[in-house]
Amino acid sequence: MVLKMLCPDVYLESIYDLDLDKLKKKGIKGIITDLDNTLISWGEDTIYPSLSEWFEKLKEEGFKVCIVSNNSPDRVSIFAEKFNIPAVSGATKPRRRPFRRALEKLGIRPEEAAVLGDQVFTDVLGGNRLGLFTILVIPVSPREFIGTRVVRQIERYVLKALKKRGMLPG
Ligand SMILES: [Mg+2]
C-alpha cells in the first residue's frame, strides 16, 4: 500500500526528542540522518552547541552516525568534518543506493539502522523502501529550497491521510 511506504515508524517534534534507549532496545546501532531542516535550518551553517552536544551524546551512547543528504558535497562536508562522521552527499533520496552506501560506511545491517529526516518523500520513503526503521521530525525552519516547498503541500495531505487512518505514530 502506497500510504504505508510513506508512513514513518516514529514521528517527533525534533531530533532532541529521540529516545536513544528505545532505539538501543530495538537493536539500532546506527543513525542515517538527513542534514537540512533535520539537524539544522536549510541554508544555515552556524553549528549551535545544542547540536554538538546531541552528537556527543549519540557517540557516548555508542551510536554510529552517517549524514545522507541530497545537498552538495560542499555543504555536507562542512558538517561531516565538524562531527567527524561519514557522509553521502548529492544523495538522490528516495533512491535506495545512498542508503545502502550509508549502511556500508557504518558497517551495519539494515535492521540495525534508523533513518532520521524531515521529509516524507525523500527520507521516509527512501528508508521504508529498504525496510529501515524511519523517524520523521518536524522541519527545523519554514525556509526551504523552492522545489521542496511544492512537495510539502503533497506531504501535508499524506500526513493528514495517515493521521486519519490512525497510522501516524505519536
Ligand atoms: Mg531535509
Side-chain angles (χ1 to χ4, degrees):
M1 186 191 176
V2 177
L3 267 180
K4 210 176 159 198
M5 288 302 285
L6 298 172
C7 189
D9 292 297
V10 177
Y11 189 24
L12 302 172
E13 185 90 23
S14 91
I15 58 167
Y16 302 107
D17 296 320
L18 207 55
D19 188 335
L20 299 182
D21 285 336
K22 243 186 192 169
L23 288 184
K24 265 192 203 169
K25 277 182 197 138
K26 277 199 62 69
I28 301 293
K29 294 183 175 157
I31 295 172
I32 296 172
T33 183
D34 175 50
L35 176 64
D36 294 300
N37 269 344
T38 296
L39 301 182
I40 191 160
S41 299
W42 178 76
E44 160 131 68
D45 49 21
T46 308
I47 296 168
Y48 293 102
S50 53
L51 184 59
S52 300
E53 283 160 20
W54 184 78
F55 268 102
E56 276 306 309
K57 200 174 163 211
L58 285 184
K59 263 182 202 165
E60 274 169 27
E61 297 286 333
F63 288 98
K64 297 175 177 177
V65 186
C66 180
I67 296 175
V68 174
S69 169
N70 286 354
N71 213 327
S72 69
D74 289 354
R75 174 159 172 79
V76 176
S77 64
I78 294 170
F79 298 91
E81 278 166 26
K82 161 80 183 169
F83 297 116
N84 194 25
I85 54 172
V88 180
S89 53
T92 67
K93 289 181 281 186
R95 287 196 183 168
R96 280 168 285 200
R97 212 174 94 141
F99 293 100
R100 286 203 186 106
R101 278 183 62 203
L103 291 174
E104 272 168 34
K105 281 176 189 267
L106 294 176
I108 58 173
R109 299 194 305 268
E111 58 272 28
E112 296 171 329
V115 172
L116 180 60
D118 71 299
Q119 282 195 61
V120 165
F121 286 99
T122 54
D123 308 305
V124 173
L125 177 59
N128 282 347
R129 287 181 77 196
L130 272 184
L132 309 181
F133 189 76
T134 50
I135 303 159
L136 181 68
V137 293
I138 292 170
V140 173
S141 152
R143 279 189 66 210
E144 347 211 41
F145 172 61
I146 180 127
T148 308
R149 264 184 264 157
V150 177
V151 178
R152 287 286 185 205
Q153 295 180 13
I154 312 167
E155 189 179 275
R156 268 195 290 275
Y157 175 80
V158 168
L159 289 173
K160 235 191 205 167
L162 286 171
K163 202 174 170 190
K164 207 173 142 192
R165 285 163 179 79
M167 292 167 75
L168 202 60

